[in-house]
Amino acid sequence: MATLDRAQEGRTPRATKGQGWLLPWRAGFQANWVPRDLTAGIALGVIMVPQGMAYATLAGLPPETGLYATMAAILGYLVLGSSRQLVVGPDSSTSTILGAALVGIAGAGAATDLLAGMAAAIALIAGGILVLAGLLKAGIIANFISKPVLVGYINALAVTIIVGQASKILGFQVEADGVIPEAWEMLRRLGDTQLLPLVVGGACLAVILVLQRLAPKVPGALVAVVGALVASTVLDLEADGLAVVGALPSGLPSIAVPVDALGEFGGLLLLPAFAVAVMGFADTTVTASIFGERGRYQVDANKDLLGLGAASAFSGLAGGLPVSASDSRTAVAVSAGGRSQVVNLTGAIVIGIILVFFASVLGPLPSAALSAVVIAAGISLFDFATFRAMARQSRSDLWTGLVALVGALTLGLLPGIILAVVLSLFNVLMSAARTQLVVLGRGEVGNAWRNVARDPGVRTVPGLQVVRWESSLFFGNGQGFTQQVKSLVEGAPSPVSWVVLDAEATSDADFTGTSALRDLVRWLRERGVTFVVAEPNGRFLDALQASGCVELIGGEHILPSVDMAAKAYVDQHPGVVPPSGPEAVGDVRQAASSGSGRELDQG
């Protein structure tokens, strides 16, 4: 899961010129990258084996399904994805959501074959959702998941992962359903802890965390898993009662549509498929953009929807599980010198070789070691720094993040991700609804119109109120806009003759917004106040024309700039003398006549 202390702005940069539909990542590819990509791919492939197995067990699936998913996802993204370096595969977030969905639909203790079929079906459906979204160019939806909501949800995800895997290291099975009941039962049963899995799992976890801290370039998960595998094989720890992975099926996965699972469960799989699709894409856009910026190339969010959709669909056809991007595995590939998707293709080949020739070697691998890998991934998801930053900057954002955190922990991950999306959209609406009217005056530096409340030294003209509305005018804030303008006019220390709306920051208006604006214009006219719109952009001007506002306001009162509006006011009120002196009127006239007012944007 991509760490969230990174900025989310610019998550959907435009595609590099020359990208095509197939292999779009190849734009800018250089053949001399291949030798280094091959060596990086070998290292990546070895690392992806324990991680793929661990995330499969996190979802309650046989370990080999994680390897099938990793191979197939790489091939799917390679065909349609836009990032040169992004590594996709099973991930802690999507695997945790999947595991919760499988238990919720099939019940605890369901046969692994049934769960594997359901997982493949969910992956296939999620892939279809993502591909459809890509064709509809819905990449912009990633911008509607706010950071406070996402960080709250991901911290809840970290708690869920750790609680779900801790009992496996302790050596007993927890029967409770839900993260809070599971944690309570685990605490009550600490006396049932088994020494051998605790030692093995604890040692692996310690190795991973210590290497992350002291030697971050060393793949701690690989070191821990190989050490546990060697110890288990040499000491025959399975004979002492230690749970192990067991024999993996040798050979490559077969390709098939999970017809039985689709037919038996049908619509029940749609919600978890949507959930993993949303979470996977949110993670993928962040990670792809970060590494694209570092590598000085551009990615396309819509092509990444297609690429991730193909990756998930390929995984489903191969009997795998839903997938997402991995910032940790991508970082490994980049740090090893990888420059293109040749790295991932090489890694997939390495996994295939291991499945065909060395599957039996992985049989003695302790299950507690894989749990340690997953717990380490869960720990890395915690983001307390962002909560502290939100507490300093915005209490409302802090409460939003906490609601997302508590909601995901109490309601469950599937309802939690829906709650996260709803909260994000609610935040967008509330932010626009809380827009405050800004009163402007003309500053001396650069002759720009500035906020009077922030710059008391700006010049104003008696009877002229210049205001700015820094939002679209829509159903959520239209009445707020009109009420604030009315309060300004009624509360002015001297009579107001003109109200000028600096519309540069007002991007659009819906039917409710323009209806409120018409009512305001009539209210002002009844009081002898002229309403003027200055510097409207194309979309806002189109909305004004379509709604009849231009006719009501009067075309002569739709002007290219605030300076032009101020000049028109001063010309019609020759006796006006501003408090700061007559030179202010001259400044306005000079700026307007010198062409500082821009032409109206008709596009």
Side-chain angles (χ1 to χ4, degrees), residues 162-344:
I162 293 169
V163 170
Q165 296 296 307
S167 62
K168 297 179 181 180
I169 288 183
L170 297 175
F172 56 81
Q173 184 70 33
V174 172
E175 303 296 335
D177 185 20
V179 62
I180 295 177
E182 285 180 22
W184 177 244
E185 180 182 341
M186 188 168 57
L187 289 173
R188 289 191 298 106
R189 294 184 54 191
L190 286 177
D192 297 335
T193 301
Q194 302 295 313
L195 181 61
L196 192 53
L198 178 62
V199 170
V200 173
C204 289
L205 182 59
V207 168
I208 296 171
L209 296 180
V210 168
L211 288 178
Q212 284 179 350
R213 171 73 64 162
L214 301 181
K217 291 187 177 182
V218 177
L222 180 62
V223 172
V225 167
V226 170
L229 176 61
V230 172
S232 178
T233 303
V234 173
L235 302 176
D236 193 16
L237 297 181
E238 183 180 6
D240 294 328
L242 182 65
V244 298
V245 168
L248 298 181
S250 180
L252 300 177
S254 57
I255 305 301
V257 177
V259 177
D260 292 342
L262 290 170
E264 182 175 355
F265 298 101
L268 294 175
L269 305 179
L270 288 176
L271 177 57
F274 175 78
V276 296
V278 170
M279 199 66 199
F281 178 59
D283 191 15
T284 298
T285 53
V286 173
T287 307
S289 292
I290 288 170
F291 284 94
E293 291 171 4
R294 292 179 182 176
R296 298 182 182 277
Y297 61 88
Q298 292 180 313
V299 295
D300 186 320
N302 294 309
K303 285 186 170 63
D304 280 336
L305 272 169
L306 295 173
L308 185 62
S312 190
F314 279 30
S315 175
L317 294 174
L321 60 149
V323 297
S324 179
S326 169
D327 58 353
S328 62
R329 277 166 281 177
T330 304
V332 167
V334 172
S335 64
R339 302 288 296 275
S340 75
Q341 288 292 325
V342 173
V343 176
N344 296 329

Side-chain angles (χ1 to χ4, degrees), residues 10 44 60 115 136 138 142 254 262 324 391 432 448 471 567:
L44 178 65
L115 296 178
L136 295 176
S254 57
L262 290 170
S324 179
S471 170
K567 176 182 182 298

Side-chain angles (χ1 to χ4, degrees), residues 521 525 531-533 548-559:
V521 173
R525 184 170 295 168
F531 185 78
V532 178
V533 177
C549 285
V550 170
E551 183 179 356
L552 179 63
I553 295 170
E556 70 278 11
H557 293 143
I558 309 293
L559 298 173

Side-chain angles (χ1 to χ4, degrees), residues 55-434:
Y55 293 139
T57 59
L58 174 60
L61 301 172
E64 63 269 15
T65 60
L67 302 182
Y68 299 161
T70 302
M71 295 174 60
I74 286 174
L75 297 178
Y77 186 84
L78 181 144
V79 173
L80 295 177
S82 71
S83 172
R84 294 178 193 163
Q85 299 167 304
L86 191 71
V87 179
V88 296
D91 179 73
S92 58
S93 57
T94 52
S95 295
T96 305
I97 296 170
L98 176 66
L102 295 179
V103 172
I105 297 173
T112 55
D113 288 346
L114 175 64
L115 296 178
M118 291 172 61
I122 290 173
L124 192 59
I125 296 171
I129 292 172
L130 289 164
V131 168
L132 179 61
L135 293 175
L136 295 176
K137 300 188 181 301
I140 194 174
I141 63 174
N143 296 325
F144 288 94
I145 302 180
S146 68
K147 187 166 184 176
V149 167
L150 199 55
V151 75
Y153 180 82
I154 288 175
N155 277 276
L157 186 68
V159 174
T160 303
I161 291 171
I162 293 169
V163 170
Q165 296 296 307
S167 62
K168 297 179 181 180
I169 288 183
L170 297 175
F172 56 81
Q173 184 70 33
V174 172
E175 303 296 335
D177 185 20
V179 62
I180 295 177
E182 285 180 22
W184 177 244
E185 180 182 341
M186 188 168 57
L187 289 173
R188 289 191 298 106
R189 294 184 54 191
L190 286 177
D192 297 335
T193 301
Q194 302 295 313
L195 181 61
L196 192 53
L198 178 62
V199 170
V200 173
C204 289
L205 182 59
V207 168
I208 296 171
L209 296 180
V210 168
L211 288 178
Q212 284 179 350
R213 171 73 64 162
L214 301 181
K217 291 187 177 182
V218 177
L222 180 62
V223 172
V225 167
V226 170
L229 176 61
V230 172
S232 178
T233 303
V234 173
L235 302 176
D236 193 16
L237 297 181
E238 183 180 6
D240 294 328
L242 182 65
V244 298
V245 168
L248 298 181
S250 180
L252 300 177
S254 57
I255 305 301
V257 177
V259 177
D260 292 342
L262 290 170
E264 182 175 355
F265 298 101
L268 294 175
L269 305 179
L270 288 176
L271 177 57
F274 175 78
V276 296
V278 170
M279 199 66 199
F281 178 59
D283 191 15
T284 298
T285 53
V286 173
T287 307
S289 292
I290 288 170
F291 284 94
E293 291 171 4
R294 292 179 182 176
R296 298 182 182 277
Y297 61 88
Q298 292 180 313
V299 295
D300 186 320
N302 294 309
K303 285 186 170 63
D304 280 336
L305 272 169
L306 295 173
L308 185 62
S312 190
F314 279 30
S315 175
L317 294 174
L321 60 149
V323 297
S324 179
S326 169
D327 58 353
S328 62
R329 277 166 281 177
T330 304
V332 167
V334 172
S335 64
R339 302 288 296 275
S340 75
Q341 288 292 325
V342 173
V343 176
N344 296 329
L345 180 60
T346 305
I349 294 172
V350 169
I351 295 174
I353 293 172
I354 291 174
L355 279 171
V356 172
F357 298 105
F358 304 104
S360 59
V361 175
L362 300 175
L365 178 62
S367 298
L370 294 180
S371 294
V373 173
V374 174
I375 290 175
I379 292 173
S380 69
L381 293 179
F382 280 120
D383 188 358
F384 302 117
T386 300
F387 274 119
R388 290 194 295 269
M390 288 189 293
R392 291 192 300 267
Q393 179 177 339
S394 172
R395 289 299 178 91
S396 62
D397 282 341
L398 174 63
W399 281 111
T400 300
L402 291 175
V403 169
L405 169 63
V406 174
L409 289 177
T410 55
L411 301 177
L413 291 177
L414 286 178
I417 197 169
I418 295 175
L419 175 65
V421 174
V422 171
L423 277 175
S424 293
L425 295 176
F426 179 75
N427 279 342
V428 172
L429 292 176
M430 289 302 297
S431 176
R434 289 193 295 262

